């Protein structure tokens, strides 16, 4: 269960959501897409187009040339005695190929989307079919969604307790903007919501379904709207992996020279620890993302080698303060002095 905290305007979290679904299409997995905001059919039409291995270099040639020019400009700023030192790789996984690459400037072809089996759940259509119901003091939208997921798992042969007659496959579940007002939940409206436990009950049952089935799930939640921190702590504990996206749009960091090469920060609050007491940790603590012309990339956040002469002393002090804040990074919940990475 991957829990994603949406950025303020939901732009980059929605892109991450589509990456998860697009990877399922390329791998031949079954999809289950649920939303109360946008119709799942429209979401599947907007999936990014995959880049095949033989066309990867050609499609991203411009990106590589741009990176080289940036490296050349940076080398002009670095003192001569530091130029011979080994350079740290910006991407945590540059030496290995994991998964597939996607071109966000193009949409996936309809033929490729139709090559896999997918199921949709649009809340407004589901509630219009049958009268509202409330099961186990749970939100009716959440209860209806759980019934649909359970039905697909049992009917399509993803139940791990029953031996599958056909070839084994994986069900990818994507739930968009869970906990928002559109789902009929009021946790985003007040500090003391009337139905404060519906979301936690839903996640508790959902994780049970995931454990007994061959399925993986990604959920995006507008965490910045949830005012009750106790609810967020419970939701975090019920998830396997918790990732937060912080966009620079509309904030002071958008014009801060420290972050001029990035569009936001990635906070890894929790990583999976299935069948173990503690999770694996690494030394990487500060991650940032940037949206290029064709790629959405997550990299290690690096401070600039030096600030230009045009930056005032007050701005330099602000940057130093920002650097201290980053030192805690997204590894604040790690054990000891180690930090989290994925």
């Amino acid at each position: 269960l991957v829990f994603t905290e949406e950025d303020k305007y939901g732009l980059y979290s929605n892109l991450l959501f589509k990456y998860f679904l697009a990877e399922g299409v390329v791998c031949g997995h079954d999809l289950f897409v649920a939303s109360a905001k946008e119709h799942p059919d429209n979401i599947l039409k907007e999936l990014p187009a995959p880049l095949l291995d033989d066309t990867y270099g050609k499609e991203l040639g411009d990106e590589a040339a741009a990176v080289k020019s940036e490296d050349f400009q940076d080398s002009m700023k670095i003192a001569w005695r530091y130029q011979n030192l080994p350079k740290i790789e910006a991407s945590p996984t540059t030496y290995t190929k994991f998964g597939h690459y996607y071109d966000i400037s193009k949409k996936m072809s309809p033929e490729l989307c139709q090559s896999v089996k997918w199921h949709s759940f649009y809340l407004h259509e589901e509630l219009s079919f049958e009268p509202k119901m409330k099961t186990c003091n749970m939100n009716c939208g959440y209860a209806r969604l759980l019934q649909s997921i359970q039905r697909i798992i049992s009917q399509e042969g993803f139940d791990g307790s029953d031996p599958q007659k056909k070839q084994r496959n994986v069900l990818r579940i994507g739930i968009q903007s869970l906990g928002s007002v559109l789902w009929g939940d009021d946790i985003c409206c007040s500090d003391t919501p009337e139905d404060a436990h519906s979301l936690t009950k839903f996640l508790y049952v959902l994780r049970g379904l995931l454990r007994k089935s061959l399925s993986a799930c990604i959920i995006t939640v507008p965490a910045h709207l949830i005012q009750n921190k106790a609810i967020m702590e419970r939701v975090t504990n019920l998830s396997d992996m918790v990732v937060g996206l912080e966009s620079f749009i509309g904030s002071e960091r958008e014009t801060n020279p420290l972050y001029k090469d990035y569009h936001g920060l990635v906070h890894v609050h929790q990583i999976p620890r299935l069948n173990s007491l503690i999770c694996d940790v690494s030394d990487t603590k500060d991650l940032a993302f940037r949206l290029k012309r064709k790629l959405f990339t997550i990299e290690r956040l690096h401070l600039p080698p030096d600030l230009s002469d045009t930056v005032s002393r007050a701005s330099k002090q602000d940057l130093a303060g920002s650097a201290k804040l980053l030192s805690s990074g997204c590894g604040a919940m790690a054990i000891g002095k180690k930090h989290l990475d994925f």
Side-chain angles (χ1 to χ4, degrees):
L1 178 59
V2 182
F3 180 86
T4 306
E5 298 177 2
E6 295 181 359
D7 53 292
K8 191 173 181 180
Y9 297 101
L11 299 176
Y12 302 105
S13 59
N14 191 32
L15 189 59
L16 205 63
F17 183 79
K18 291 178 180 178
Y19 262 68
F20 179 85
L21 298 177
E23 183 70 12
V25 174
V26 175
C27 294
H29 299 160
D30 287 19
L31 300 182
F32 180 91
V33 185
S35 176
K37 178 174 64 174
E38 186 179 2
H39 199 284
D41 295 350
N42 297 331
I43 296 177
L44 292 171
K45 291 178 183 177
E46 299 291 330
L47 297 183
L51 292 175
L52 301 179
D53 295 337
D54 53 348
T55 61
Y56 174 71
K58 183 179 69 175
E59 290 285 344
L60 300 181
D62 297 338
E63 300 286 350
V67 171
K68 286 184 179 180
S69 63
E70 290 178 4
D71 294 342
F72 177 75
Q73 293 176 0
D74 291 340
S75 65
M76 299 296 290
K77 301 176 183 178
I78 301 176
W80 61 271
R81 59 180 176 176
Y82 298 122
Q83 289 184 359
N84 294 327
L85 294 178
K87 185 177 179 181
I88 300 176
E89 291 292 340
S91 177
T93 56
T94 51
Y95 56 92
T96 57
K97 181 181 182 300
F98 180 77
H100 299 85
Y101 298 94
Y102 298 91
D103 185 352
I104 58 177
S105 64
K106 299 179 182 178
K107 298 178 182 178
M108 185 178 292
S109 62
E111 294 79 12
L112 185 57
C113 290
Q114 295 172 3
S115 64
V116 299
K117 194 171 184 179
W118 55 273
H119 314 271
S120 63
F121 179 94
Y122 188 48
L123 180 63
H124 305 295
E125 291 181 352
E126 296 292 332
L127 293 181
S128 62
F129 291 152
E130 298 179 17
K132 292 186 177 181
M133 62 177 182
K134 205 161 187 176
T135 308
C136 300
N137 296 322
M138 188 187 297
N139 183 304
C140 61
Y142 295 161
R144 193 69 56 81
L145 179 57
L146 283 175
Q147 288 183 349
S148 298
I149 295 175
Q150 188 174 18
R151 184 180 69 253
I152 296 300
I153 289 176
S154 60
Q155 292 180 356
E156 301 297 329
F158 296 105
D159 195 343
S161 59
D162 296 333
Q164 288 188 327
K165 299 179 181 178
K166 59 180 182 179
Q167 185 179 2
R168 287 184 176 271
N169 200 356
V170 176
L171 176 66
R172 284 185 180 239
I173 304 172
I175 306 175
Q176 188 182 50
S177 295
L178 194 70
S180 65
V181 181
L182 295 175
W183 283 94
D185 206 334
D186 60 344
I187 59 175
C188 296
C189 303
S190 67
D191 292 333
T192 57
E194 296 181 1
D195 200 3
H197 301 290
S198 272
L199 182 60
T200 51
K201 288 179 181 177
F202 171 81
L203 292 177
Y204 190 83
V205 178
L206 175 62
R207 197 169 72 159
L209 291 174
L210 296 176
R211 290 290 188 271
K212 66 185 285 290
S213 63
L214 299 172
S215 56
C217 179
I218 186 172
I219 293 175
T220 64
V221 174
H224 59 281
L225 298 178
I226 299 179
Q227 304 172 22
N228 193 327
K229 302 303 178 185
I231 295 178
M232 282 303 302
E233 291 180 1
R234 290 197 293 266
V235 167
T236 300
N237 292 332
L238 286 171
S239 305
D240 295 314
M241 183 170 186
V242 181
V243 180
L245 298 181
E246 179 186 353
S247 172
F248 293 158
I249 299 177
S251 66
E252 296 179 356
R253 292 177 176 176
E254 188 175 11
T255 57
N256 196 325
L258 180 63
Y259 308 105
K260 62 183 178 65
D261 295 329
Y262 306 102
H263 294 98
L265 299 177
V266 179
H267 304 289
V268 183
H269 302 298
Q270 182 173 295
I271 59 177
R273 53 183 188 276
L274 297 175
N275 302 323
S276 62
L277 296 177
I278 61 175
C279 56
D280 186 25
V281 295
S282 68
D283 296 332
T284 302
K285 57 182 179 181
D286 299 321
L287 295 173
F289 64 84
R290 69 170 78 182
L291 184 61
K292 300 179 182 179
R293 186 166 59 91
K294 295 186 177 182
L295 280 180
F296 176 80
T297 60
I298 297 177
E299 305 172 355
R300 291 192 180 101
L301 178 63
H302 293 293
L303 299 177
D306 192 10
L307 298 173
S308 61
D309 297 334
T310 59
V311 180
S312 63
R313 180 177 298 179
S315 299
K316 290 185 178 182
Q317 292 176 355
D318 293 340
L319 293 181
S322 301
K324 289 181 180 179
L325 290 175
L326 285 174
S327 63
S328 60
C330 57
M333 298 181 65
I335 301 172
K337 295 183 179 180
K338 295 185 177 180
H339 307 283
L340 301 180
D341 190 14
F342 69 95

